[in-house]
Amino acid sequence: MARVAGVAKGTVSNVLNGRAPVSDAMRERVEAAIQSLGYSPAETARSLTARKRTAFDSRRADPAVPRLTTVGYVSVDYVACLDRLPERDERLMSKEIVKAIGGPAANVAAVAAGLGGGWPVAASLITCIGCDGDSDWALAELASRRVELITPVERREGRLNRALVLVERDGRRTIINEPSSLAEVDLRRFLEATDPAGLTWCLHFEGYQVPPQIAAIPLARARGFKPTMQATGLPPQWLRAHSAQLFLEFDVVVLHRESLIHIEGCPADPGDAAAWLKERAEASERWPEAVIVTLGASGALLVARDGRIARADALPVPVQDTTGAGDAFVGTFLAFWLNHAPLDLALQYACAAGSLAVTRYAAQEIRPSAERLAEAIASQGAASAPRLVPA
């Protein structure tokens, strides 16, 4: 592989294992060699050696670097690439079946950790993993992506969650999850044992974790964390009953276009919803720094605390798999926001990251650097960010 790519063996190793930074140019050469040779890692062998590898420790990062700790589960995704979904009793041949790490919280952390450039983030994930080979494999993979796993101190039990992802030719996907056999994510122990004094530290929740963990948000805020959330996995019935609480408890709220109909009084049309959110932001004593509505191929819109509105477009790209596009958006936005970027700039780069994510199968296969995002934006003639303007 090194010969084909025209690089040193150590460069290939660093691309595969993530133990040292590699320039985008070198990474592209290695990835091209991987594709031309049809190489895929021996996952069984990687899981057997996982316990011997050194885990990434975000606490060793420079104190000036902001922290991002996500809360949620890791899963193993088996992605089947199909022309269409099968009919009942039908057997279809998949182009390939890809094994990949999944779970919104894991995806957000991995994308944020990979940006680099002027937007560094020390990323960690509060989760539970099992004692099976897939758990060891996921632990090693996330460590190679510079994501620290914060897990219970008790003995690991159960096995990692698995999901089947059926991806059609146009990129739409159908996801089948199994019930978890793992313990609950232990957030309070982390909050009581961690002092974020002097650090910029975001605590981010995937939607699945918001209902069981929201009672701990006042403690997190009192300890000095900046709580944020995304709607992925948030039960619609819970959102209907508690939407007002979301806007009170979190500093950044990321909703989907489909979420709007579940917020009492909120119009379903994104443009009308932006005006509705603007009115409430201006009338509320406490409101998130940003409420974002993702719009898929149409980009995203943002309503700031002072009522200003920004809109950013997605990049025109070929769509292979929409899995994880929203997580790439969120991870990028949070990295820029934590590094004090203007909200409109963060929104534009987040839309670019979500766009690139759909060009490959599986959720974490595209973890673009900030440099690559800038190049993608510039190539579309969108080098200047959209400005925040009154509605």
Side-chain angles (χ1 to χ4, degrees):
M1 195 183 304
R3 279 198 305 271
V4 172
V7 300
K9 293 179 181 178
T11 301
V12 174
S13 177
N14 289 332
V15 169
L16 294 176
N17 299 315
R19 292 174 181 168
V22 177
S23 70
D24 285 345
M26 289 292 190
R27 183 177 297 278
E28 288 173 3
R29 289 163 65 176
V30 173
E31 289 177 347
I34 290 172
Q35 186 171 5
S36 68
L37 294 171
Y39 168 80
S40 60
E43 303 300 354
T44 301
R46 289 168 70 84
S47 68
L48 290 174
T49 63
R51 287 192 177 100
K52 299 179 182 178
R53 303 181 198 176
T54 302
F56 176 69
D57 187 350
S58 67
R59 292 166 294 183
R60 298 178 182 174
D62 185 335
V65 173
R67 267 64 170 171
L68 170 63
T69 298
T70 62
V71 183
Y73 286 119
V74 185
S75 68
V76 177
D77 290 353
Y78 292 92
V79 184
C81 312
L82 307 168
D83 288 332
R84 58 174 176 80
L85 292 180
E87 302 289 341
R88 179 174 294 178
D89 294 329
E90 183 181 15
R91 182 188 292 265
L92 288 182
M93 182 70 71
S94 173
K95 297 174 183 176
E96 66 175 320
I97 297 179
V98 179
K99 179 181 179 182
I101 291 180
N107 299 337
V108 168
V111 169
L115 277 176
W119 320 102
V121 167
S124 55
L125 167 64
I126 301 176
T127 190
C128 288
I129 58 175
C131 54
D132 59 325
D134 280 341
S135 293
D136 290 334
W137 168 78
L139 175 63
E141 290 294 297
L142 287 169
S144 75
R145 295 167 192 185
R146 302 184 63 76
V147 177
E148 176 193 2
L149 261 63
I150 302 172
T151 59
V153 296
E154 291 84 1
R155 182 179 180 275
R156 288 156 47 180
E157 294 181 342
R159 61 171 174 79
L160 211 61
N161 298 21
R162 294 175 297 195
L164 302 179
V165 184
L166 308 180
V167 182
E168 299 175 70
R169 182 186 298 174
D170 60 2
R172 291 181 300 172
R173 78 275 194 253
T174 302
I175 302 177
I176 306 169
N177 290 308
E178 65 177 348
S180 175
S181 66
L182 303 175
E184 293 297 320
V185 174
D186 189 352
L187 176 62
R188 283 194 172 270
R189 178 179 293 180
F190 169 80
L191 292 176
E192 292 166 356
T194 307
D195 181 10
L199 301 171
T200 300
W201 202 323
C202 171
L203 195 62
H204 177 74
F205 297 81
E206 63 184 29
Y208 297 104
Q209 294 293 324
V210 170
Q213 305 288 0
I214 197 165
I217 300 302
L219 174 60
R221 192 179 290 281
R223 295 284 290 168
F225 292 96
K226 299 168 72 71
T228 63
M229 62 79 63
Q230 67 186 99
T232 306
L234 187 64
Q237 64 274 18
W238 192 94
L239 180 57
R240 277 191 209 98
H242 300 276
S243 57
Q245 190 176 6
L246 289 185
F247 299 130
L248 288 174
E249 299 288 5
F250 293 97
D251 289 339
V252 173
V253 172
V254 182
L255 303 170
H256 306 145
R257 176 171 40 200
E258 296 78 11
S259 307
L260 299 176
I261 62 173
H262 302 298
I263 299 175
E264 184 178 0
C266 183
D269 177 78
D272 295 338
W276 184 85
L277 290 167
K278 168 186 166 65
E279 291 177 2
R280 272 137 193 86
E282 293 174 337
S284 300
E285 293 184 3
R286 184 172 170 182
W287 191 257
E289 289 186 38
V291 176
I292 300 168
V293 182
T294 59
L295 305 172
S298 298
L301 62 85
L302 177 152
V303 180
R305 179 177 287 165
D306 60 6
R308 292 181 297 163
I309 295 174
R311 179 78 180 255
D313 295 327
L315 302 179
V317 295
V319 178
Q320 280 201 328
D321 181 7
T322 58
T323 306
D327 303 332
F329 175 99
V330 172
T332 302
F333 182 89
L334 292 178
F336 273 70
W337 173 68
L338 286 170
N339 281 283
H340 310 294
L343 293 177
D344 46 5
L345 183 68
L347 186 70
Q348 185 186 37
Y349 272 74
C351 282
S355 299
L356 293 184
V358 305
T359 63
R360 292 275 291 275
Y361 289 109
Q364 291 187 31
E365 294 309 298
I366 293 287
R367 301 182 302 281
S369 66
E371 179 183 5
R372 184 175 181 185
L373 291 177
E375 291 172 352
I377 292 170
S379 71
Q380 299 298 325
S384 59
R387 291 183 295 174
L388 286 164
V389 296

